[in-house]
Every structure is written in C-alpha cells, then in structure tokens.
Amino acid sequence: MTELATPNQQGLDIQSTPRAEMNLYPLDTFAYEFPGREIKIQFDIPEFTCICPFSDFPDFATIRLEYSPNERCIELKSLKLYINSFREVKVFHEHVINMILEDFVRACDPLSVEIEGDFNVRGNIKTTVSASYRRK
C-alpha cells in the first residue's frame, strides 16, 4: 500500500463550514398526482455560488439536476432558496454536489436523480462533479 502525501502542504487553514452551521433553506415538496407514470424533470441552475475553503474566494457553477418523481415533487421556490443558501458556505465542489443529492433524496424520495456541478474555470482548471441516485 502506498502512503498518501501529507494533506495541505501549503500550510493553509482549510475549514469547511460545519454542516450544522450551514443554515440551508429547507426543501419543500408537493404531491405528484401521477405516481407510477415515470417522467423526467430537469433543472438548470446557472448562478450557483459557494466559497472555496482553501482560498475563501467564491466558486461559481451551473448545477444541472434531473429527476423522476415517485410520490413527491420539489417545489421550485424552496429549491431556489435552498441553492442560494450556499452563497456563504465554505465547501469543496466534491462535497457540495453530494450534499445537494442527499438533501434532495431526503426531501422527495425520487425514483432517480442525477446531479452535475459544472464549476467555472479557476486557476486554469475546469471541474465538473456528477453524482446520482436510483431508488431500490
């Protein structure tokens, strides 16, 4: 087994916002009146912002979310407010996409969901993070 390099060799104080302190707006839902009829719902959220825990600079992304509802659908105003809650949150790209996925699944228990965070170029590096869930 190879040993991993020492993390944070730059000596930076890297601190993500603790989950309990994020104050994220709750995701609301409404009843899907056609359970058993599989549809796909897509959202493009082009103004996502969070804060880089390394640099404290803002990170910008387009979040793409596609889901098939089971019995509940996500209410759009709450989704907007939830997504905008990340503006003051220090979080890594890899973590925020997983957090959104977990919160979304917890809120509406979809048949499936795919999420992609297409982050703007920063320091000559383009990052895209994808995650998915399928109900068992």
Side-chain angles (χ1 to χ4, degrees):
M1 181 187 262
T2 7
E3 232 177 275
L4 294 175
T6 306
N8 188 16
Q9 297 180 55
Q10 300 171 55
L12 299 173
D13 181 24
I14 304 164
Q15 297 201 12
S16 295
T17 304
R19 184 82 157 133
E21 296 175 18
M22 288 186 183
N23 297 320
L24 301 177
Y25 193 88
L27 288 167
D28 290 325
T29 64
F30 60 91
Y32 176 51
E33 294 181 9
F34 301 91
R37 182 177 299 160
E38 191 168 337
I39 62 169
K40 291 190 180 206
I41 301 169
Q42 295 177 319
F43 302 121
D44 283 338
I45 306 164
E47 297 177 351
F48 179 82
T49 307
C50 61
I51 299 172
C52 173
F54 253 79
S55 67
D56 286 338
F57 291 139
D59 282 323
F60 301 95
T62 295
I63 304 292
R64 293 181 188 89
L65 195 147
E66 178 178 286
Y67 80 107
S68 293
N70 181 23
E71 296 180 4
R72 313 279 318 155
C73 293
I74 288 292
E75 191 277 321
L76 287 181
K77 181 179 179 186
S78 74
L79 179 61
K80 288 180 215 176
L81 294 170
Y82 168 81
I83 289 295
N84 288 340
S85 318
F86 282 98
R87 289 179 187 244
E88 300 300 321
V89 172
K90 291 183 181 184
V91 63
F92 291 103
H93 301 158
E94 299 82 353
H95 300 165
V96 74
I97 296 306
N98 278 294
M99 291 168 143
I100 294 169
L101 177 68
E102 286 178 356
D103 290 348
F104 192 90
V105 169
R106 191 176 304 112
C108 71
D109 187 30
L111 297 174
S112 65
V113 60
E114 293 182 20
I115 183 170
E116 176 184 89
D118 185 0
F119 290 85
N120 290 6
V121 173
R122 188 107 124 15
N124 198 31
I125 295 178
K126 173 90 173 111
T127 305
T128 304
V129 180
S130 302
S132 62
Y133 164 86
R134 179 158 295 281
R135 193 168 194 264
K136 294 178 182 172

